[in-house]
Amino acid sequence: MKVMKFGGTCVANSAMITKVEEVIEKEKEDKVITLSAVAGITNQLIDFISSFHKDEEIDAFVEELRKNHVKLLPEGNEQLLKEATEALDTRLRKLSSLLYGVSYTEEITPRTRDMIISMGERLSVVILASRLKARGINASNFNSDEIGIITDGVHGNATADMNECEKSVGPKIHALLKAGVTPVVTGFFGISKNGHVTTFGRSGTDYSASVLARSCNASVVEIWKDVDGFMTADPKMVPEAKQVDRLSYEEAAELAYFGAQVLHPRAVFPVLQKKIPIAVRNVTRPDDPGTIICNDTSTKKSILKSVSFLKKIATIKVFGTGAGYKEGFLADITQALAEANVNIYSATTSQTCVAMLLEEGDVHMAKKTLEHILGGYYERIEIHENSALVCVVGAGLGSTRGVAARVFNAIANQGVNIDLISAGASTVAYHFTVDKKDVQKTIRAIHNEFFTG
Ligand code: ASP
Ligand code: MG
């Protein structure tokens, strides 16, 4: 059996949903489908709860959501339409109560927030299941809690409890498939052991798909999007970029983490152990096999597979003579940042400095935190907000002589200065920082050197 995941842009409008239906109809193997919210809906929910509202504003918001979903329901079958409309209305009433509660109490807890933002997926599955039924496919929609996707209970950034999921999800899905049902399951969230809705982080439906695949021992996870799979570079920067046919799990994870917005970085981990391949495919070009992520042991045709970037980062450097000797220096820094909920993308250290890449929005708070906890034993802390990170990925990097020289020469020839370099931690990726204004030049230079030159 397969897991097929469709992203929000695949269900953005009726014409796109028709393409999704065609892809599903053509697939003869047993399948479980998982779905994101209709494009833009999660953002709308998040924006709406960023402030408190009057009753009329809540009513108008929910009515607008209703309109935007009802218009996607199948036409021509009164009974189906009636059932699906009722199903949407039941969910919208619940949403409305939650929004009233938040605005009356002027309080939003992480738990309520997760319940509210999971609503986009609870609505979209109703639409797709009813449209599949209208085509004669025996589909049925399920919320992830009904299917038993159990999490560690961390709101906004949950991790699935794979042991529990294997026990609960696998048998349920297989029973449904045996009964001839095609389940359409909500993406983006699961449920904690004590019954709380917990979301997997933005774009978390890729992760849901991977969790379903691992739980059901699927033969493949298909991640369907409205664009091609992984590319040799962002086509907006390099128009001649090409789709990458194959990536190893490690290559895909590095690329996803360092900027390629093709796959949720965590989506690789649930399937890794069982070596279940992930295929990233385009619904508008369904005959193309897309990018296959698997345990790639094939002889590498190309040294470099792709180059990605992250612009919303900043560098923080903590200077202190003897930083390299002072035991616990790095531990104190990382612990303080973890407690402040600051994610460190990457770190490099020397005798006199610890340099870290952080999310742009975190860097000032990180500086304050570190000044506070490090007290007297650092010299100065510098922040660089104009950094961008560039990441080159390919299994050949670690094993082919002279690749690093080619990468850095190509950049140097453009007159671009490199600040931090991190290589060696992963055998399949290097990353380094350049000035934000030089990102495009850098990406093009590398792409030219390895792919088009
Ligand atoms: N709807 C959620 C989001 O927009 C999850 C997803 O799309 O995968 O982040
Ligand atoms: Mg989305």
Side-chain angles (χ1 to χ4, degrees), residues 262-301:
V262 175
L263 187 72
H264 192 289
R266 291 204 298 169
V268 168
F269 301 109
V271 292
L272 189 65
Q273 210 186 7
K274 288 194 179 166
K275 299 191 172 56
I276 301 169
I278 302 175
V280 185
R281 305 183 60 175
N282 185 345
V283 277
T284 70
R285 299 199 307 121
D287 296 329
D288 190 291
T291 302
I292 313 289
I293 302 159
C294 57
N295 194 31
D296 188 5
T297 48
S298 64
T299 46
K300 358 166 178 24
K301 269 190 275 155

Short mmCIF file of all heavy atoms in Angstrom, two decimals, residues 262-301:
data_model
loop_
_atom_site.label_atom_id
_atom_site.label_comp_id
_atom_site.label_asym_id
_atom_site.label_seq_id
_atom_site.Cartn_x
_atom_site.Cartn_y
_atom_site.Cartn_z
N VAL A 262 10.77 22.08 -0.11
CA VAL A 262 10.10 21.04 -0.88
C VAL A 262 9.48 20.03 0.06
O VAL A 262 8.43 19.46 -0.21
CB VAL A 262 11.13 20.35 -1.80
CG1 VAL A 262 10.53 19.18 -2.53
CG2 VAL A 262 11.68 21.36 -2.80
N LEU A 263 10.14 19.83 1.18
CA LEU A 263 9.75 18.77 2.09
C LEU A 263 10.00 19.26 3.50
O LEU A 263 10.96 19.97 3.76
CB LEU A 263 10.65 17.56 1.80
CG LEU A 263 10.33 16.26 2.51
CD1 LEU A 263 9.07 15.65 1.92
CD2 LEU A 263 11.49 15.27 2.35
N HIS A 264 9.12 18.86 4.42
CA HIS A 264 9.35 19.19 5.82
C HIS A 264 10.60 18.45 6.29
O HIS A 264 10.70 17.24 6.08
CB HIS A 264 8.12 18.75 6.63
CG HIS A 264 8.11 19.28 8.02
ND1 HIS A 264 8.98 18.84 8.98
CD2 HIS A 264 7.35 20.22 8.61
CE1 HIS A 264 8.74 19.49 10.11
NE2 HIS A 264 7.75 20.34 9.90
N PRO A 265 11.57 19.14 6.89
CA PRO A 265 12.83 18.48 7.23
C PRO A 265 12.65 17.20 8.06
O PRO A 265 13.42 16.26 7.93
CB PRO A 265 13.59 19.52 8.04
CG PRO A 265 12.97 20.83 7.71
CD PRO A 265 11.55 20.56 7.27
N ARG A 266 11.61 17.17 8.88
CA ARG A 266 11.47 15.99 9.73
C ARG A 266 10.81 14.81 9.03
O ARG A 266 10.74 13.72 9.59
CB ARG A 266 10.65 16.36 10.97
CG ARG A 266 11.41 17.29 11.89
CD ARG A 266 10.91 17.20 13.29
NE ARG A 266 9.51 17.59 13.34
CZ ARG A 266 8.73 17.40 14.40
NH1 ARG A 266 9.20 16.82 15.46
NH2 ARG A 266 7.49 17.80 14.39
N ALA A 267 10.31 15.03 7.82
CA ALA A 267 9.56 13.97 7.15
C ALA A 267 10.41 12.75 6.83
O ALA A 267 9.90 11.66 6.61
CB ALA A 267 8.94 14.51 5.86
N VAL A 268 11.72 12.94 6.81
CA VAL A 268 12.60 11.83 6.45
C VAL A 268 12.70 10.80 7.58
O VAL A 268 12.81 9.60 7.33
CB VAL A 268 14.00 12.41 6.13
CG1 VAL A 268 15.04 11.33 6.03
CG2 VAL A 268 13.94 13.23 4.84
N PHE A 269 12.66 11.25 8.82
CA PHE A 269 13.05 10.36 9.92
C PHE A 269 12.13 9.16 10.16
O PHE A 269 12.63 8.06 10.33
CB PHE A 269 13.31 11.17 11.19
CG PHE A 269 14.40 12.17 10.95
CD1 PHE A 269 14.13 13.53 10.88
CD2 PHE A 269 15.70 11.74 10.69
CE1 PHE A 269 15.14 14.44 10.58
CE2 PHE A 269 16.71 12.64 10.39
CZ PHE A 269 16.43 14.00 10.34
N PRO A 270 10.80 9.34 10.16
CA PRO A 270 9.98 8.15 10.43
C PRO A 270 10.22 6.99 9.45
O PRO A 270 10.13 5.84 9.84
CB PRO A 270 8.55 8.68 10.33
CG PRO A 270 8.66 10.13 10.61
CD PRO A 270 9.99 10.54 10.04
N VAL A 271 10.52 7.30 8.20
CA VAL A 271 10.61 6.22 7.20
C VAL A 271 12.04 5.68 7.01
O VAL A 271 12.24 4.65 6.39
CB VAL A 271 10.07 6.67 5.82
CG1 VAL A 271 8.57 6.89 5.89
CG2 VAL A 271 10.78 7.90 5.31
N LEU A 272 12.99 6.41 7.58
CA LEU A 272 14.40 6.08 7.37
C LEU A 272 14.74 4.65 7.76
O LEU A 272 15.32 3.89 6.98
CB LEU A 272 15.20 7.07 8.22
CG LEU A 272 16.68 7.15 8.08
CD1 LEU A 272 17.02 7.65 6.69
CD2 LEU A 272 17.23 8.14 9.11
N GLN A 273 14.34 4.28 8.97
CA GLN A 273 14.72 2.97 9.49
C GLN A 273 14.17 1.83 8.63
O GLN A 273 14.85 0.84 8.39
CB GLN A 273 14.17 2.87 10.90
CG GLN A 273 15.00 2.01 11.79
CD GLN A 273 14.30 1.85 13.14
OE1 GLN A 273 13.16 2.28 13.33
NE2 GLN A 273 14.98 1.23 14.06
N LYS A 274 12.93 2.01 8.17
CA LYS A 274 12.34 0.93 7.35
C LYS A 274 12.65 1.11 5.87
O LYS A 274 12.14 0.38 5.03
CB LYS A 274 10.82 0.90 7.56
CG LYS A 274 10.43 0.37 8.92
CD LYS A 274 8.95 0.04 8.97
CE LYS A 274 8.56 -0.51 10.34
NZ LYS A 274 7.09 -0.53 10.51
N LYS A 275 13.46 2.13 5.57
CA LYS A 275 13.88 2.38 4.19
C LYS A 275 12.70 2.48 3.23
O LYS A 275 12.71 1.95 2.12
CB LYS A 275 14.85 1.31 3.71
CG LYS A 275 16.13 1.26 4.54
CD LYS A 275 17.18 0.39 3.87
CE LYS A 275 18.53 0.45 4.54
NZ LYS A 275 18.54 0.10 5.95
N ILE A 276 11.65 3.15 3.67
CA ILE A 276 10.50 3.38 2.79
C ILE A 276 10.82 4.61 1.93
O ILE A 276 11.14 5.67 2.47
CB ILE A 276 9.21 3.64 3.61
CG1 ILE A 276 8.91 2.44 4.51
CG2 ILE A 276 8.03 3.97 2.69
CD1 ILE A 276 7.82 2.67 5.54
N PRO A 277 10.80 4.48 0.63
CA PRO A 277 11.14 5.64 -0.21
C PRO A 277 10.07 6.74 -0.16
O PRO A 277 8.89 6.46 0.07
CB PRO A 277 11.25 5.07 -1.62
CG PRO A 277 10.67 3.72 -1.57
CD PRO A 277 10.52 3.27 -0.16
N ILE A 278 10.52 7.98 -0.38
CA ILE A 278 9.61 9.12 -0.49
C ILE A 278 9.71 9.62 -1.93
O ILE A 278 10.81 9.84 -2.42
CB ILE A 278 10.02 10.27 0.46
CG1 ILE A 278 10.06 9.80 1.92
CG2 ILE A 278 9.09 11.48 0.31
CD1 ILE A 278 10.59 10.85 2.90
N ALA A 279 8.59 9.80 -2.59
CA ALA A 279 8.62 10.36 -3.95
C ALA A 279 7.94 11.72 -3.90
O ALA A 279 6.81 11.84 -3.45
CB ALA A 279 7.87 9.44 -4.91
N VAL A 280 8.68 12.77 -4.32
CA VAL A 280 8.10 14.11 -4.32
C VAL A 280 7.65 14.41 -5.74
O VAL A 280 8.46 14.44 -6.67
CB VAL A 280 9.14 15.16 -3.86
CG1 VAL A 280 8.48 16.53 -3.76
CG2 VAL A 280 9.74 14.77 -2.52
N ARG A 281 6.33 14.59 -5.94
CA ARG A 281 5.80 14.65 -7.30
C ARG A 281 4.89 15.84 -7.54
O ARG A 281 4.42 16.47 -6.60
CB ARG A 281 5.05 13.34 -7.59
CG ARG A 281 5.94 12.13 -7.34
CD ARG A 281 5.26 10.83 -7.67
NE ARG A 281 4.85 10.78 -9.07
CZ ARG A 281 4.31 9.71 -9.62
NH1 ARG A 281 4.13 8.62 -8.91
NH2 ARG A 281 3.95 9.72 -10.89
N ASN A 282 4.66 16.11 -8.80
CA ASN A 282 3.92 17.30 -9.22
C ASN A 282 2.55 16.90 -9.80
O ASN A 282 2.52 16.20 -10.81
CB ASN A 282 4.78 18.01 -10.28
CG ASN A 282 4.20 19.32 -10.73
OD1 ASN A 282 3.03 19.61 -10.51
ND2 ASN A 282 5.01 20.12 -11.41
N VAL A 283 1.45 17.33 -9.17
CA VAL A 283 0.11 16.95 -9.69
C VAL A 283 -0.17 17.51 -11.08
O VAL A 283 -1.03 16.99 -11.78
CB VAL A 283 -1.09 17.39 -8.80
CG1 VAL A 283 -1.36 16.43 -7.69
CG2 VAL A 283 -0.99 18.79 -8.34
N THR A 284 0.53 18.57 -11.46
CA THR A 284 0.27 19.11 -12.78
C THR A 284 1.10 18.37 -13.86
O THR A 284 0.91 18.59 -15.04
CB THR A 284 0.55 20.63 -12.86
OG1 THR A 284 1.96 20.84 -12.76
CG2 THR A 284 -0.16 21.39 -11.75
N ARG A 285 2.02 17.50 -13.41
CA ARG A 285 2.76 16.64 -14.36
C ARG A 285 2.80 15.21 -13.79
O ARG A 285 3.86 14.70 -13.42
CB ARG A 285 4.19 17.17 -14.55
CG ARG A 285 4.23 18.60 -15.13
CD ARG A 285 5.56 18.97 -15.76
NE ARG A 285 6.70 18.76 -14.89
CZ ARG A 285 7.72 17.96 -15.19
NH1 ARG A 285 7.72 17.28 -16.32
NH2 ARG A 285 8.73 17.84 -14.36
N PRO A 286 1.64 14.59 -13.69
CA PRO A 286 1.54 13.33 -12.94
C PRO A 286 2.32 12.17 -13.55
O PRO A 286 2.55 11.16 -12.88
CB PRO A 286 0.04 13.02 -12.93
CG PRO A 286 -0.53 13.80 -14.04
CD PRO A 286 0.33 15.02 -14.22
N ASP A 287 2.74 12.29 -14.81
CA ASP A 287 3.49 11.18 -15.40
C ASP A 287 4.96 11.22 -15.07
O ASP A 287 5.70 10.27 -15.29
CB ASP A 287 3.30 11.17 -16.93
CG ASP A 287 1.85 10.91 -17.27
OD1 ASP A 287 1.20 10.18 -16.48
OD2 ASP A 287 1.36 11.45 -18.28
N ASP A 288 5.41 12.35 -14.51
CA ASP A 288 6.82 12.46 -14.13
C ASP A 288 7.04 11.78 -12.78
O ASP A 288 6.28 12.02 -11.86
CB ASP A 288 7.18 13.96 -14.04
CG ASP A 288 8.67 14.18 -13.88
OD1 ASP A 288 9.21 13.83 -12.81
OD2 ASP A 288 9.28 14.68 -14.84
N PRO A 289 8.06 10.93 -12.68
CA PRO A 289 8.26 10.23 -11.40
C PRO A 289 8.71 11.13 -10.25
O PRO A 289 8.68 10.72 -9.09
CB PRO A 289 9.34 9.18 -11.72
CG PRO A 289 9.98 9.63 -12.98
CD PRO A 289 8.98 10.48 -13.73
N GLY A 290 9.13 12.36 -10.55
CA GLY A 290 9.52 13.29 -9.48
C GLY A 290 10.88 12.97 -8.89
O GLY A 290 11.70 12.30 -9.52
N THR A 291 11.13 13.44 -7.68
CA THR A 291 12.39 13.13 -6.99
C THR A 291 12.15 11.95 -6.05
O THR A 291 11.24 11.99 -5.23
CB THR A 291 12.85 14.33 -6.13
OG1 THR A 291 13.01 15.48 -6.96
CG2 THR A 291 14.17 14.03 -5.43
N ILE A 292 12.98 10.94 -6.19
CA ILE A 292 12.85 9.78 -5.30
C ILE A 292 13.91 9.88 -4.20
O ILE A 292 15.11 10.00 -4.49
CB ILE A 292 13.08 8.44 -6.06
CG1 ILE A 292 12.30 8.41 -7.37
CG2 ILE A 292 12.77 7.24 -5.17
CD1 ILE A 292 10.83 8.27 -7.23
N ILE A 293 13.45 9.84 -2.96
CA ILE A 293 14.37 9.86 -1.83
C ILE A 293 14.41 8.45 -1.27
O ILE A 293 13.37 7.89 -0.89
CB ILE A 293 13.87 10.84 -0.75
CG1 ILE A 293 13.74 12.23 -1.34
CG2 ILE A 293 14.81 10.83 0.46
CD1 ILE A 293 12.81 13.13 -0.56
N CYS A 294 15.59 7.87 -1.28
CA CYS A 294 15.66 6.47 -0.84
C CYS A 294 17.05 6.20 -0.31
O CYS A 294 17.89 7.08 -0.24
CB CYS A 294 15.33 5.55 -2.01
SG CYS A 294 16.42 5.82 -3.41
N ASN A 295 17.28 4.96 0.03
CA ASN A 295 18.58 4.56 0.52
C ASN A 295 19.49 4.46 -0.69
O ASN A 295 19.74 3.38 -1.19
CB ASN A 295 18.41 3.21 1.21
CG ASN A 295 19.58 2.87 2.04
OD1 ASN A 295 20.25 3.75 2.58
ND2 ASN A 295 19.85 1.58 2.15
N ASP A 296 19.93 5.58 -1.16
CA ASP A 296 20.58 5.65 -2.47
C ASP A 296 22.03 5.16 -2.39
O ASP A 296 22.90 5.85 -1.89
CB ASP A 296 20.54 7.09 -2.98
CG ASP A 296 21.02 7.19 -4.42
OD1 ASP A 296 21.26 6.13 -5.03
OD2 ASP A 296 21.13 8.32 -4.92
N THR A 297 22.24 3.96 -2.91
CA THR A 297 23.61 3.45 -2.90
C THR A 297 24.16 3.39 -4.32
O THR A 297 25.23 2.85 -4.55
CB THR A 297 23.66 2.04 -2.27
OG1 THR A 297 22.63 1.27 -2.88
CG2 THR A 297 23.45 2.08 -0.77
N SER A 298 23.39 3.93 -5.25
CA SER A 298 23.82 3.87 -6.65
C SER A 298 25.13 4.65 -6.82
O SER A 298 25.41 5.58 -6.07
CB SER A 298 22.75 4.49 -7.54
OG SER A 298 22.61 5.85 -7.22
N THR A 299 25.90 4.29 -7.82
CA THR A 299 27.11 5.05 -8.08
C THR A 299 26.68 6.45 -8.49
O THR A 299 25.80 6.63 -9.32
CB THR A 299 27.92 4.40 -9.22
OG1 THR A 299 27.01 4.11 -10.25
CG2 THR A 299 28.63 3.15 -8.76
N LYS A 300 27.30 7.44 -7.88
CA LYS A 300 26.82 8.79 -8.09
C LYS A 300 27.22 9.33 -9.45
O LYS A 300 28.37 9.27 -9.83
CB LYS A 300 27.36 9.72 -7.00
CG LYS A 300 28.18 8.99 -6.00
CD LYS A 300 28.97 9.85 -5.12
CE LYS A 300 29.77 9.12 -4.08
NZ LYS A 300 30.16 7.75 -4.26
N LYS A 301 26.19 9.82 -10.12
CA LYS A 301 26.46 10.40 -11.43
C LYS A 301 26.99 11.80 -11.25
O LYS A 301 27.85 12.26 -11.96
CB LYS A 301 25.19 10.42 -12.27
CG LYS A 301 25.03 9.16 -13.11
CD LYS A 301 23.90 9.33 -14.10
CE LYS A 301 22.61 8.98 -13.46
NZ LYS A 301 21.39 9.38 -13.77
#
